């Protein structure tokens, strides 16, 4: 068991696109174990390989309740094959200690990936569930994309980052998502009390 150091926002490795895994070798199996150990020791629900300094397309998620037995899901070379709907999501990231902000996410995603024994599987997560959001968050890490790039309000997010002594948003990395924002705003205005 190895608990690895989690890289913090500002580290270039977090912005570097990760490479596909060609073979689920013993090196990859060790990486998966380290990801799991490091994620649990940090009380996270997900951790991607670049966060522990490895630019490889691997991440681990566990959205089980705290009092339930651990249920880690390993994703190797994941592909998002369907995404639809939109939700506002209040998110954090182990690479952004203590900093949380609102981001835009798809409500439903379908992902195809390999597990730690090299078997391929398809998983669908719906209704803006924690799993649906975590898949998108961790998947982004493999492309060097960070959750603050999806910020709904960059000024608010910048002040949160500053409060936690983290570098500001990189405006050139911000992702334009007018359709998601539109859907989120519509749903929210329907939810407002009369
Ligand atoms: Zn993250």
């Amino acid at each position: 068991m190895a608990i690895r150091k989690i890289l913090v926002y500002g580290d270039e490795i977090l912005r570097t696109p990760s490479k596909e895994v060609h073979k689920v070798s013993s090196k990859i199996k060790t990486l998966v174990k380290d990801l799991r150990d490091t994620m649990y020791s940090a009380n996270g629900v997900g951790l991607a390989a670049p966060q522990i300094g490895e630019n490889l397309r691997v991440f681990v998620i566990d959205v089980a309740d705290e009092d339930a037995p651990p249920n880690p899901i390993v994703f190797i070379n994941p592909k998002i094959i369907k995404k639809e709907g939109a939700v506002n999501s209040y998110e954090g990231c182990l690479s952004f200690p203590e900093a949380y902000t609102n981001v835009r996410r798809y409500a439903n995603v379908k992902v195809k990936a390999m597990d730690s024994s090299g078997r391929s599987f398809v998983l669908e997560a719906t209704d803006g569930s924690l799993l649906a959001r975590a898949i998108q968050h961790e998947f982004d890490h493999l492309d060097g994309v960070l959750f603050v790039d999806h910020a709904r309000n960059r000024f608010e997010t910048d002040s949160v980052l500053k409060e936690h002594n983290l570098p500001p948003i990189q405006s050139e990395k911000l992702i334009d998502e007018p359709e998601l924002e539109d859907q989120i705003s519509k749903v929210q205005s329907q939810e407002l009390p009369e």
Side-chain angles (χ1 to χ4, degrees):
M1 144 152 185
I3 294 167
R4 307 266 294 261
K5 185 173 159 265
I6 298 176
L7 303 182
V8 174
Y9 179 46
D11 194 305
E12 264 315 298
I13 291 180
L14 293 175
R15 284 301 192 187
T16 307
S18 289
K19 292 194 173 73
E20 295 258 326
V21 169
H22 292 299
K23 185 171 169 258
V24 185
S25 59
S26 59
K27 184 182 157 245
I28 296 296
K29 288 183 179 168
T30 303
L31 170 65
V32 166
K33 255 191 218 146
D34 288 357
L35 278 170
R36 272 202 306 241
D37 294 343
T38 309
M39 173 180 78
Y40 289 132
S41 84
N43 291 315
V45 295
L47 191 65
Q51 291 179 278
I52 58 168
E54 308 264 3
N55 281 123
L56 289 165
R57 302 189 75 83
V58 181
F59 62 77
V60 176
I61 288 177
D62 189 341
V63 292
D65 283 337
E66 266 177 57
D67 43 4
N71 182 27
I73 312 173
V74 177
F75 298 78
I76 300 173
N77 296 343
K79 304 256 184 307
I80 293 185
I81 51 180
K82 193 171 99 184
K83 46 188 184 184
E84 59 187 20
V87 281
N88 172 41
S89 169
Y90 191 63
E91 271 178 37
C93 174
L94 292 175
S95 295
F96 292 71
E98 310 289 318
Y100 295 85
T101 197
N102 283 304
V103 298
R104 303 177 196 92
R105 293 291 182 197
Y106 292 95
N108 309 315
V109 287
K110 198 176 194 176
V111 58
K112 188 177 177 204
M114 252 183 336
D115 67 16
S116 53
S117 42
R119 272 188 291 262
S120 147
F121 67 95
V122 173
L123 180 68
E124 190 160 19
T126 57
D127 298 324
S129 61
L130 180 55
L131 179 60
R133 292 177 282 124
I135 289 170
Q136 295 170 72
H137 179 119
E138 301 309 330
F139 183 86
D140 271 353
H141 273 298
L142 309 184
D143 290 328
V145 173
L146 301 170
F147 78 118
V148 294
D149 303 340
H150 296 277
R152 294 192 65 205
N153 183 326
R154 62 171 295 184
F155 303 104
E156 211 175 277
T157 304
D158 259 340
S159 76
V160 171
L161 292 173
K162 197 171 170 194
E163 221 175 283
H164 294 92
N165 298 312
L166 291 163
I169 272 187
Q170 293 169 275
S171 45
E172 74 282 6
K173 302 278 188 190
L174 279 172
I175 300 168
D176 206 20
E177 297 163 306
E179 281 169 29
L180 282 189
E181 185 55 39
D182 232 41
Q183 283 194 61
I184 295 169
S185 309
K186 268 186 211 148
V187 171
Q188 281 185 338
S189 62
Q190 281 165 7
E191 280 171 356
L192 284 180
E194 309 237 319

